[in-house]
């Protein structure tokens, strides 16, 4: 079979003849018709994930008041934003917290409002209180301003998330004898529960483990609008997991840096989120189209929950102290069954990501493509793959 090209697939989208299916639907087609037939028949497979993604935020340009101001410090609804860039630009990070937040001083802290909630408020069109102070210069003499803004008052509002769409993640458990509060949620003592956080067979980077189609410039569903892959994400260390016998257990370690126009997005797909005892963040909806260029890409896109595994990691002792190793691997089919076995004990499971929302994103992206409202963009450069052997560094001290 000859390879399809992006140009051929986009021509089929333009003419209304493209065959577009979700990753779930593609799995069923492969089961019914075989991989070779499915790879010839299907042009695009859509994916989706909706989960908390802490490494997220937005660049905002407020425009100048009269007289002009060089903003030295900025607060949005009392949440600080970073202003070490141009005079009326700021970056609001999803995990930033109000300066008067009690944090974990009364443990576990509630973290009711943070940068992710500010972003949701902006996207929803709600009024946001802006306070800024400057130190005064000849060209920017004003020293303070307090006003109310909405997203419609901003020149630009650009979502830029340095690390999203983790390819795979840990299944978190707690071997200690106390309840712990983590970014993987509340973990009960003595293997009382287990949490995981990807959509498995719908998850974008699990469907393209070697980054054969995802790269700089890939057009994606982002927060309810159209966005792009800007670069590989921070902590992008893609690899193929193996067990002790060398059996492959699916990919892990890849991440995306993504960008898009916040003014196009929706609070349904960008939601401020609070973690008891941990902090605030932003839940983000992302969907990536996988062009079925050949049978190899089709084979990866057909991976099922039974083919994809997560490492089981103890967050009571091993994870916080950066101790290597894990407690074994578990498939997403097992995780989604509601219970797994860990050290001989049956442990109930729950996801931090929303599978129904992931399914909805994949369906929306499919509909956009079928209607000719969304075309595939060929990456100008593919992202580093497992073959590149990237590994993480650690901070000494």
């Amino acid at each position: 079979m000859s390879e399809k090209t992006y140009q051929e697939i986009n021509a089929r989208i333009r003419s209304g003849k493209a065959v577009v299916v979700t990753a779930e639907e593609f799995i069923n087609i492969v089961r019914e018709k075989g991989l070779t037939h499915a790879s010839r028949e299907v042009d695009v497979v859509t994916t989706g994930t909706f989960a908390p993604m802490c490494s997220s935020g937005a660049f905002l340009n407020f425009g100048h008041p009269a007289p002009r101001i060089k903003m030295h410090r900025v607060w949005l609804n009392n949440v600080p934003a970073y202003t070490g860039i141009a005079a009326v630009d700021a970056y609001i990070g999803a995990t930033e917290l109000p300066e008067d937040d009690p944090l974990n001083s009364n443990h576990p802290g509630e973290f009711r409002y943070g940068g992710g909630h500010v972003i949701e408020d902006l996207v929803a069109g709600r009024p946001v209180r802006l306070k800024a102070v400057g130190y005064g210069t000849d060209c920017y003499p004003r020293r303070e301003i307090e006003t109310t803004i909405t997203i419609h008052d901003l020149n630009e509002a650009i979502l830029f998330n340095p690390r999203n769409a983790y390819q795979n993640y840990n299944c978190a458990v707690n071997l200690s004898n106390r309840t712990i509060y983590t970014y993987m949620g509340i973990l009960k003592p003595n293997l009382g529960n287990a949490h995981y956080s990807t959509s498995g067979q719908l998850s974008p980077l699990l469907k393209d483990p070697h980054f054969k189609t995802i790269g700089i410039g890939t057009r994606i569903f982002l927060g309810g609008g159209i966005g792009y892959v800007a670069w590989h994400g921070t902590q992008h260390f893609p690899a193929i997991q193996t067990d002790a016998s060398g059996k492959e257990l699916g990919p892990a370690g890849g991440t995306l840096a993504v960008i898009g126009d916040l003014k196009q997005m929706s609070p349904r797909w960008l939601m401020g989120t609070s973690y008891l005892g941990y902090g605030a963040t932003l839940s983000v909806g992302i969907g990536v189209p996988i062009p079925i260029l050949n049978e190899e890409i089709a084979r990866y896109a057909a991976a099922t929950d039974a083919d994809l595994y997560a490492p089981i990691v103890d967050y009571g002792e091993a994870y916080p102290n950066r101790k290597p190793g894990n407690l074994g691997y578990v498939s997403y089919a097992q995780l989604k069954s509601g219970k797994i076995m860990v050290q001989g004990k049956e442990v109930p499971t729950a996801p931090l990501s929303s599978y129904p929302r992931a399914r909805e994103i994949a369906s929306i992206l499919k509909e956009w493509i079928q209607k000719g409202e969304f075309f595939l963009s060929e990456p100008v450069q593919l992202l580093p793959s497992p073959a590149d052997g990237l590994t993480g560094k650690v901070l000494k001290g």
Side-chain angles (χ1 to χ4, degrees), residues 136-158:
T137 72
D138 290 337
C139 47
Y140 298 122
R142 190 165 184 159
R143 292 179 182 267
E144 61 182 334
I145 186 170
E146 288 194 44
T147 188
T148 298
I149 61 167
T150 72
I151 196 169
H152 308 295
D153 300 314
L154 301 174
N155 286 316
E156 289 84 26
I158 303 164

Side-chain angles (χ1 to χ4, degrees), residues 131-288:
K131 178 182 177 182
V133 296
Y135 49 82
T137 72
D138 290 337
C139 47
Y140 298 122
R142 190 165 184 159
R143 292 179 182 267
E144 61 182 334
I145 186 170
E146 288 194 44
T147 188
T148 298
I149 61 167
T150 72
I151 196 169
H152 308 295
D153 300 314
L154 301 174
N155 286 316
E156 289 84 26
I158 303 164
L159 190 73
F160 182 79
N161 300 347
R163 183 170 76 249
N164 275 188
Y166 243 115
Q167 191 167 37
N168 200 352
Y169 213 75
N170 300 331
C171 169
V173 297
N174 176 16
L175 294 181
S176 78
N177 59 10
R178 64 185 180 89
T179 298
I180 59 175
Y181 301 84
T182 75
Y183 67 80
M184 292 297 286
I186 301 171
L187 298 174
K188 299 175 184 178
N190 304 311
L191 294 174
N193 62 341
H195 287 169
Y196 62 98
S197 188
T198 88
S199 56
Q201 62 190 17
L202 270 176
S203 191
L205 301 193
L206 288 177
K207 305 270 85 174
D208 186 9
H210 294 275
F211 295 90
K212 299 284 187 179
T213 70
I214 300 172
I216 299 167
T218 295
R219 185 177 288 118
I220 63 173
F221 173 108
L222 178 59
I226 292 174
Y228 297 86
V229 174
W231 200 254
H232 61 265
T234 57
Q235 295 180 195
H236 176 80
F237 310 124
I240 301 299
Q241 303 173 121
T242 57
D243 65 12
S245 69
K247 176 189 173 184
E248 289 194 359
L249 300 176
T255 68
L256 301 179
V258 297
I259 191 168
D261 182 0
L262 200 63
K263 294 186 179 186
Q264 293 182 11
M265 298 182 192
S266 162
R268 178 165 178 77
W269 304 112
L270 292 174
M271 295 182 64
T273 303
S274 300
Y275 276 99
L276 192 67
Y278 179 74
T281 186
L282 182 71
S283 292
V284 181
I286 291 179
V288 179

Side-chain angles (χ1 to χ4, degrees), residues 5 26 37 63 70 76 84 106 114 123 137 181 203 207 213 232 251 269 273 324 327 342 344 352 380-381 394-395:
T5 67
F26 189 63
H37 184 97
K70 185 179 188 296
L76 296 163
N106 183 20
V123 171
T137 72
Y181 301 84
S203 191
K207 305 270 85 174
T213 70
H232 61 265
W269 304 112
T273 303
L327 303 173
V342 184
L352 295 181
V380 296
Q381 179 176 305
V394 297
L395 184 64

Side-chain angles (χ1 to χ4, degrees), residues 43-117:
D43 296 304
V44 184
V45 170
T46 61
T47 64
T49 187
F50 182 77
M53 301 188 192
C54 289
S55 190
S56 300
F59 286 103
L60 310 174
N61 178 272
F62 303 108
H64 272 287
R68 297 175 186 269
I69 185 171
K70 185 179 188 296
M71 294 178 175
H72 179 58
R73 299 190 70 194
V74 167
W75 297 263
L76 296 163
N77 283 350
N78 203 34
V79 177
Y82 176 73
T83 55
I85 39 181
V88 289
D89 287 338
Y91 183 80
I92 179 75
T95 67
E96 189 62 80
L97 296 165
E99 291 183 342
D100 59 357
D101 193 292
L103 307 177
N104 265 338
S105 59
N106 183 20
H107 191 266
E110 294 185 343
F111 303 100
R112 293 185 178 185
Y113 195 87
H117 300 84

